[in-house]
Each structure stands twice: as structure tokens, then as C-alpha cells.
Amino acid sequence: MKREQILSLKCGECHGPYALGTKMGNMIFTTQIGTDLTGDCVPGGIKEQTKATMENAKAVLEAAGAAMDDVAKVTIYIYDIKKIPEMNEVYKTYFPEGDYPARCCTQCVSMVDGCLVEMEFTAVI
């Protein structure tokens, strides 16, 4: 099974040795942070960065032929664990009520580029 790199013009470019997303067989993997098209973290707080993170993931999934409904698992790294309720307000709007993917959320006090949240998505199509 060959790994296919996924690209999307709807989210920022990679600035390191990694891909926006990869597809292997019927599985899609992407890890996203709340950046704009320039690669800079969006201004604001956890809600703004969560929205940008989710939109970036959505763009990569769509480029791979998938949708948010295809997400099976999300791993979330959050700068301040007390911000989970605010993050959840945005996060839950991307999935049908009561049909959420499996999830792990953990605090990570040293995040890349001053980001407040980073998420790993695994989708199956």
C-alpha cells in the first residue's frame, strides 16, 4: 500500500518535513493547528484557533475525498486544559449531534508557534 500526500489550497503550506495529510488505502491522516493561509496562527483565543484548526482539517479531508463525517478519531493537544469547554463549543459544531468520533484530549504546555490547540484526525472512507 502506497502513501499518498494530500494537498489543499484552502489551508497553509507546510514549513517542515511533513505533509498536510496522507492517505493510505481507505484511511486519511492529518494533523492541524489554527493557522491561516500564510501559515501564521490566527489571532484571538482558543475558539478562533479551534475553528481554524477544524477548517484546515476539513479542507485536507475534502481534498482526499472525505468529509468530517468520516472522522473516526481525533487526538487533541491543548495548551490550557481549562479551555476545553470553550474548545468544545466550536469542535462539536463540526460533527452531527451525538455522533462524535472517538477522542483523546491532553494538555501540552509547549506548543509550536504559540498555538493553543493542535489536533490529529484519522478518517476512514
Side-chain angles (χ1 to χ4, degrees), residues 50-70:
T50 298
K51 180 176 172 132
T53 300
M54 299 299 285
E55 287 295 323
N56 288 342
K58 183 178 171 185
V60 172
L61 291 170
E62 288 173 354
M68 295 300 283
D69 288 351
D70 297 314

Side-chain angles (χ1 to χ4, degrees), residues 30 50-51 53-55 57-58 61 66-76 87-104 119-124:
T30 185
T50 298
K51 180 176 172 132
T53 300
M54 299 299 285
E55 287 295 323
K58 183 178 171 185
L61 291 170
M68 295 300 283
D69 288 351
D70 297 314
V71 174
K73 175 149 189 320
V74 181
T75 302
I76 302 170
M87 183 268 304
N88 278 338
E89 285 180 41
V90 177
Y91 175 90
K92 70 182 180 182
T93 67
Y94 285 83
F95 302 103
E97 180 79 28
D99 190 22
Y100 303 112
R103 186 175 105 175
C104 171
M119 298 184 192
E120 297 178 10
F121 297 81
T122 302
V124 181

Side-chain angles (χ1 to χ4, degrees), residues 33 74 116:
I33 56 178
V74 181
L116 303 174

Side-chain angles (χ1 to χ4, degrees), residues 14 18 27 34 40 44 53 55 60 64 67 69 83 108 116 118-119:
C14 292
Y18 55 89
M27 298 186 74
D40 293 332
T53 300
E55 287 295 323
V60 172
D69 288 351
K83 298 288 186 181
C108 185
L116 303 174
E118 181 172 3
M119 298 184 192

